[in-house]
Every structure is written in C-alpha cells, then in structure tokens.
Amino acid sequence: QVQLVESGGGLVEPGGSLRLSCTASGPIFSIQVMDWYRQAPGMQRDLVAGILNDGRTVYVDSVKGRFTISRDKAKNAVYLQMNSLKPEDTAVYYCGANVAAYDGDRHHIYWGQGIQVTVSS
C-alpha cells in the first residue's frame, strides 16, 4: 500500500516562512505527478502547486512568487517552500501523488493525511 506522509506544518506569523515535506513509501514503480492541495474550513480542496515528472510546475495564481514546489525523485519526495505567508494561506495542506505500483500498473492517486498550516499574529 502506497503511503504519503507530510511534515513541516505549524503556526507562523504573517510574512513568515514554512517548508512542507512529503515522502511516498510502499510499492512504487513510477510517479507521474506530485502536488500540494489545501482545504480551508468550509471550503473545497484546491490545488496549490504541482510538479510533473519532467520538472514542469504549476501554481495557483494566489501563491505565484511566494511558494516554490520541488521534488526529489530518488527519495520519492516533494517539498513546498512557502514564503511571505498570509492569513488566507491558513488551511490543511495535503500532499498528492499519481503512482503506479509496478510496471504495467495504471497510475492511481494517493493522498497524505493532511497537515495544518496556520498563519496568524
């Protein structure tokens, strides 16, 4: 069973920085995409940033210039460096990955358990 485990969340003041990490483990043949979503109370889960296997990245407009997504393929890990944080960035952040467990398997989406990020003074 593929598992994703996030770390690095917490409480930070506006203007501060946090770095989220997520590592995938289990039977992994290939990962097409790794990404970060977030969900604020009463809201739907929305994409924050994603990174493809070829290194191309995508960001939601509200985080462009402030957040940077990166990936370590050897470690099956993805990171989200969050700078200039704002109160509206407060949410539970989820790591997602599109994983094939073995050669010939279809890619399936897996999620981490989520990690709280709170931006407040």
Side-chain angles (χ1 to χ4, degrees):
Q1 181 74 4
V2 175
Q3 290 187 321
L4 276 65
V5 178
E6 301 110 333
S7 63
L11 172 65
V12 64
E13 292 185 348
S17 298
L18 283 175
R19 185 175 187 252
L20 303 183
S21 300
C22 171
T23 301
S25 62
I28 297 173
F29 175 74
S30 73
I31 301 177
Q32 287 181 331
V33 183
M34 298 191 81
D35 40 38
W36 290 96
Y37 281 70
R38 65 186 178 188
Q39 187 170 20
M43 305 295 286
Q44 67 180 21
R45 189 179 299 186
D46 290 324
L47 177 69
V48 177
I51 184 165
L52 302 176
N53 215 20
D54 61 7
R56 285 180 292 162
T57 58
V58 60
Y59 297 92
V60 66
D61 285 346
S62 61
V63 308
K64 286 180 180 178
R66 301 189 298 122
F67 291 10
T68 303
I69 189 170
S70 60
R71 182 173 165 183
D72 186 332
K73 290 183 180 180
K75 296 181 179 179
N76 292 322
V78 64
Y79 309 97
L80 187 67
Q81 178 65 43
M82 304 185 294
N83 299 328
S84 302
L85 281 160
K86 304 175 181 179
E88 50 265 42
D89 295 316
T90 295
V92 177
Y93 284 69
Y94 295 89
C95 170
N98 199 2
V99 179
Y102 53 86
D103 190 7
D105 186 25
R106 294 187 301 115
H107 285 80
H108 302 270
I109 298 173
Y110 295 88
W111 295 99
Q113 79 284 357
I115 192 164
Q116 180 69 44
V117 171
T118 302
V119 185
S120 175
S121 55

